[in-house]
Each structure stands twice: as C-alpha cells, then as structure tokens.
Amino acid sequence: MPASPLKRAAEPVASIQPWDPAAPANVDKFSVRWTGKIRVPRSGEYTFYTHSNDGVRLWIDGKLVIDKFIDQAAKTYSTAPIALTAGQTVDVRMDYY
C-alpha cells in the first residue's frame, strides 16, 4: 500500500465491485484498506467472512483473523468463531488488493 492514501471515503459496506463508479480505473493495480467499528448487538460467537479474488487480510479487535495476502482466484474465507459481548464496540480492518 502507498505511504499516503490516494482516496479517503466513508463506505457503509465494504463491498466495491470493478464496475462500481467508486472502483479504481485499473482494477488489477490497486489496494484498499477499510477500517471501521462494529457494535455487537448481542453476546455470542460471530464468524466473519471475506470474498476476494486476490489478497485479503482481516483484523477483528486488533487480531489478524484472516491472512491470505496472495494472488488467487475468487475465494471465500471465514474466521474461527469469535466470542463478542453485547454492547462492545469492535475495531475492524480489512486490507485488500
């Protein structure tokens, strides 16, 4: 990832498709970092998923839970169940290229 972002934006959902106007012009030569927070609605175990066609890393509450920063065809990954507490605010970060 470059030292400083080329673009900053607030996205309600971390999902940008290559045909999306927000997508970079060259869909094979970019990287994205999404950061945000999730407020946990009820206590329990949660599983998080990513679906990407190249590298992806996902951090939940500061812990790296998916580490597949590799060239690859489209693939879905899931975390092991993560215990979260109702009302807790959890940091989320996802890097993608």
Side-chain angles (χ1 to χ4, degrees):
M1 298 189 81
S4 59
L6 298 176
K7 176 183 176 186
R8 287 189 185 268
E11 303 290 341
V13 177
S15 178
I16 295 180
Q17 303 300 324
W19 54 86
D20 187 312
N26 183 338
V27 296
D28 285 328
K29 304 283 186 212
F30 72 98
S31 62
V32 175
R33 173 173 290 162
W34 283 281
T35 59
K37 296 182 182 296
I38 296 172
R39 182 170 305 259
V40 179
R42 61 183 171 271
S43 295
E45 291 192 333
Y46 289 80
T47 301
F48 294 84
Y49 298 86
T50 63
H51 182 81
S52 62
N53 67 343
D54 274 318
V56 64
R57 286 186 179 135
L58 179 67
W59 287 261
I60 302 296
D61 205 22
K63 297 177 186 88
L64 182 60
V65 293
I66 294 176
D67 187 7
K68 298 295 181 180
F69 222 60
I70 56 174
D71 293 340
Q72 61 187 336
K75 186 159 175 112
T76 300
Y77 294 102
S78 62
T79 66
I82 300 170
L84 299 174
T85 305
Q88 177 183 10
T89 300
V90 178
D91 290 323
V92 177
R93 172 180 154 189
M94 186 173 83
D95 293 351
Y96 167 80
Y97 78 88

